């Protein structure tokens, strides 16, 4: 697999024009990689593309993978940022979500990681069935007490064909409630704000200066190249995605064939994606950029559609930007949908 990923990087060397500022090992279980394998992939990236002087190089990992030896191993590689899938510091929540780690491993891996990495992010989940507001507050307090510079917090979504979905269908576990998730989100905003964290994107919170370069680039609509099975890419005009089947992926790459599909984006697609991504950020939607990039039809449509949400206190206009208010934050995806151009 590592050899195939390196071959794909070379095959796609013409797809990136300019300097790369962020490299992200995510999806699947990249923490299973050894330093030799990490170095092989990074060496291929460096020999194929132009890399910035101090790139952000992130590796996603689950707490059960981050043993003392593994953390030490990664600290001796070029990886300079860890994103740890903690999800919760409560045993009940972890079992409900069928996580492989326990609360002790969640805490211990962070303590160990902090000895070797300064730039650490952890994921937390809210809106979990049977999670009280007090428990959610305790989760946030634990994260803040650990002095983590970056938090990614997501509302629980029940994926099809999972154990949790079956538990809910059988009545073993109560269903996910939007009202509870909204309450938890309000608590999250209040507590992180009081602790001095910037909510620079709907789900992402950081101490000043600790924004994720990878996340920021995505929400700003910058191009990215995703390699490996299921890897998704975007160049500003089209999207592509690799096949998810590992053996077929490896075979096609070894045959010199890119195992992917491509989709050319229309102007309407680009406008809708711009609205969706920008509205989730603190900078919001630039009216000037809408006019310059998409033209008068889209600019006038947006101005018309946003009025109802401004009147209801969910959106506001500051200088050139349309920004979601604190009241509207939890509803930002729904608001974005109302601003989408459906027909043109």
């Amino acid at each position: 697999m590592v050899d195939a990923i390196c071959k794909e990087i070379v095959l796609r060397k013409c797809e990136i024009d300019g300097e790369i500022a962020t490299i992200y090992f995510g999806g699947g279980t990249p923490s299973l990689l050894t330093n030799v394998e990490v170095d092989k992939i990074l060496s291929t990236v460096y020999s194929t593309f132009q890399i910035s002087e101090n790139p952000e190089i992130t590796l996603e990992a689950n707490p059960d993978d981050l043993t003392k030896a593994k953390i030490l191993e990664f600290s001796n590689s070029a990886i300079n940022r860890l994103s740890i899938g903690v999800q919760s510091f409560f045993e009940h929540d972890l079992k409900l979500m069928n996580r492989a780690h326990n609360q002790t491993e969640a805490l211990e891996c962070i303590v160990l990681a902090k000895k070797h990495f300064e730039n650490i992010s952890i994921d937390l989940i809210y809106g979990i069935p049977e999670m009280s507001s007090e428990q959610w507050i305790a989760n946030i307090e634990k994260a803040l007490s650990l002095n983590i510079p970056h938090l990614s917090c997501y509302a629980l979504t029940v994926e099809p064909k999972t154990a949790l979905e079956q538990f809910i269908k059988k009545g073993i576990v109560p269903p996910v409630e939007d009202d509870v998730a909204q309450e938890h989100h309000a608590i999250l905003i209040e507590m992180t704000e009081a602790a001095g964290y910037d909510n620079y994107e709907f789900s992402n919170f950081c101490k000043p200066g600790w924004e994720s370069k990878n996340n920021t680039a995505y929400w700003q609509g910058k191009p990215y190249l995703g390699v490996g099975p299921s890897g998704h890419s975007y160049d500003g005009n089209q999207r592509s995605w690799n096949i998810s089947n590992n053996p077929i992926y490896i075979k096609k790459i070894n045959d010199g064939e890119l195992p992917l599909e491509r989709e050319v984006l229309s102007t309407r697609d680009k406008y809708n994606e711009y609205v969706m991504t920008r509205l989730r950020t603190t900078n919001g939607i630039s009216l000037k950029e809408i006019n310059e990039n998409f033209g008068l039809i889209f600019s006038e449509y947006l101005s018309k559609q946003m009025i109802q949400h401004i009147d209801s206190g969910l959106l506001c206009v500051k200088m050139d930007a349309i920004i979601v208010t604190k009241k509207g934050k939890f509803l930002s995806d729904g608001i974005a949908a109302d601003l989408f151009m459906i027909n043109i």
Side-chain angles (χ1 to χ4, degrees):
M1 178 59 73
V2 171
D3 289 341
I5 287 172
C6 290
K7 288 178 182 178
E8 184 189 357
I9 290 169
V10 175
L11 285 172
R12 304 182 72 175
K13 62 183 178 181
C14 295
E15 292 190 35
I16 292 184
D17 182 22
E19 195 173 72
I20 291 175
T22 171
I23 301 169
Y24 199 96
F25 289 85
T29 49
S31 51
L32 294 179
L33 293 170
T34 65
N35 265 13
V36 172
E37 292 166 333
V38 169
D39 289 345
K40 182 172 185 177
I41 293 171
L42 288 176
S43 294
T44 305
V45 171
Y46 270 82
S47 63
T48 306
F49 303 111
Q50 182 183 353
I51 312 299
S52 65
E53 185 176 350
N54 296 300
E56 176 188 272
I57 305 179
T58 303
L59 182 132
E60 280 187 355
N62 292 322
D64 47 301
D65 295 327
L66 290 179
T67 62
K68 184 177 181 179
K70 199 69 178 178
I71 291 171
L72 182 60
E73 182 182 7
F74 285 142
S75 71
N76 290 319
S77 72
I79 293 164
N80 53 33
R81 184 175 184 271
L82 290 180
S83 178
I84 306 174
V86 171
Q87 318 304 358
S88 176
F89 291 103
F90 286 93
E91 202 69 37
H92 173 270
D93 299 336
L94 297 172
K95 288 180 179 179
L96 192 68
M97 293 185 288
N98 200 29
R99 305 299 299 181
H101 66 276
N102 57 44
Q103 62 184 32
T104 301
E105 289 171 322
L107 183 58
E108 288 181 349
C109 79
I110 294 172
V111 174
L112 288 169
K114 286 184 62 180
K115 294 180 179 179
H116 301 280
F117 289 89
E118 189 177 14
N119 198 348
I120 296 174
S121 176
I122 67 171
D123 290 356
L124 292 176
I125 304 292
Y126 58 89
I128 300 171
E130 301 177 347
M131 173 189 272
S132 67
S133 293
E134 289 72 26
Q135 286 176 313
W136 177 232
I137 289 171
N139 262 326
I140 300 171
E141 286 178 338
K142 175 58 71 175
L144 296 176
S145 72
L146 291 166
N147 202 28
I148 303 297
H150 190 282
L151 306 174
S152 293
C153 303
Y154 307 98
L156 178 68
T157 55
V158 182
E159 299 294 338
K161 300 178 181 179
T162 59
L164 181 56
E165 183 190 44
Q166 292 304 310
F167 289 157
I168 292 174
K169 283 183 176 179
K170 293 177 181 179
I172 299 171
V173 173
V176 175
E177 297 181 13
D178 287 343
D179 289 348
V180 173
Q182 187 167 5
E183 182 183 348
H184 288 180
H185 180 261
I187 292 169
L188 172 66
I189 296 295
E190 182 180 346
M191 291 184 66
T192 52
E193 188 177 278
Y197 282 67
D198 294 329
N199 181 203
Y200 69 100
E201 187 275 328
F202 178 80
S203 300
N204 290 283
F205 305 78
C206 70
K207 293 182 177 181
W210 290 91
E211 296 88 349
S212 164
K213 291 182 181 179
N214 180 78
N215 291 356
T216 301
Y218 177 80
W219 298 113
Q220 290 177 347
K222 293 183 179 179
Y224 54 86
L225 179 66
V227 299
S230 298
H232 281 59
S233 304
Y234 170 70
D235 67 4
N237 293 307
Q238 62 181 3
R239 295 196 178 280
S240 65
W241 52 96
N242 284 344
I243 194 169
S244 59
N245 184 290
N246 288 5
I248 295 177
Y249 166 82
I250 293 172
K251 182 180 186 304
K252 285 186 176 290
I253 289 294
N254 287 335
D255 291 342
E257 180 183 350
L258 291 176
L260 54 78
E261 295 182 55
R262 296 186 191 274
E263 173 194 20
V264 178
L265 301 175
S266 66
T267 302
R268 184 185 66 186
D269 293 332
K270 294 177 185 177
Y271 163 83
N272 288 344
E273 291 194 7
Y274 179 99
V275 168
M276 179 184 69
T277 54
R278 298 307 197 283
L279 202 60
R280 293 176 63 100
T281 68
T282 53
N283 293 329
I285 299 171
S286 168
L287 292 167
K288 180 182 178 183
E289 288 182 3
I290 290 289
N291 191 49
E292 290 177 349
N293 296 336
F294 305 106
L296 187 61
I297 292 176
F298 287 91
S299 180
E300 290 181 343
Y301 177 80
L302 175 61
S303 297
K304 178 183 176 182
Q305 291 297 107
M306 71 182 184
I307 292 173
Q308 59 177 318
H309 296 299
I310 291 175
D311 291 343
S312 60
L314 302 179
L315 290 178
C316 66
V317 179
K318 293 183 179 179
M319 302 293 286
D320 169 60
I322 304 169
I323 300 171
V324 176
T325 64
K326 187 177 290 188
K327 177 183 175 182
K329 270 192 176 182
F330 187 75
L331 306 171
S332 58
D333 285 348
I335 296 170
D338 288 340
L339 304 180
F340 287 170
M341 177 74 79
I342 306 301
N343 298 306
I344 185 171

